Amino acid sequence: MEKWIAVLGLLVLSWTVAFPAEASVCRTIKDHNICILSIKRSAKYYWRYRAAVSIDGVKRPVEIYNCRDRTRIRQDGLVVSFEPDGAGEFICSFF
């Protein structure tokens, strides 16, 4: 019986190493909980990040955050300035 428990423990450990839980970075800014769910830095334009964020639990689709111009490009192609104390400011100050 102890042998099977040890095998089961090793199996669970190997699954947690192979498939770690998705981590997010969260911060509360002016009564809003902002979480970075996924982020990827551009190799060519190192000041740009492709990120998915959630604000107060509401997920936003992946958008491009331009830390040089302080703008974000939405999925429909519209360029929008960062909101004061918003997700764009959080991404650019954190990374």
Side-chain angles (χ1 to χ4, degrees):
M1 182 71 174
E2 290 177 22
K3 180 180 175 182
W4 288 108
I5 293 173
V7 170
L8 181 62
L10 286 174
L11 181 63
V12 169
L13 180 62
S14 67
W15 273 92
T16 56
V17 171
F19 304 106
E22 193 171 314
S24 60
V25 177
C26 298
R27 185 169 291 164
T28 301
I29 302 172
K30 296 218 177 179
D31 297 327
H32 293 289
N33 187 24
I34 301 172
C35 295
I36 300 171
L37 305 175
S38 67
I39 190 164
K40 187 174 183 180
R41 187 176 187 178
S42 170
K44 186 174 181 180
Y45 304 105
Y46 58 88
W47 57 89
R48 288 186 185 173
Y49 294 92
R50 296 178 67 82
V53 300
S54 71
I55 300 175
D56 296 329
V58 179
K59 288 177 73 173
R60 280 190 184 171
V62 174
E63 297 174 319
I64 298 172
Y65 291 85
N66 185 329
C67 294
R68 182 187 289 185
D69 298 335
R70 302 309 231 199
T71 58
R72 67 182 163 95
I73 303 171
R74 299 186 339 187
Q75 281 194 334
D76 61 3
L78 186 65
V79 178
V80 181
S81 295
F82 285 173
E83 300 93 10
D85 300 314
E89 296 289 338
F90 173 42
I91 289 170
C92 294
S93 67
F94 192 79
F95 294 100

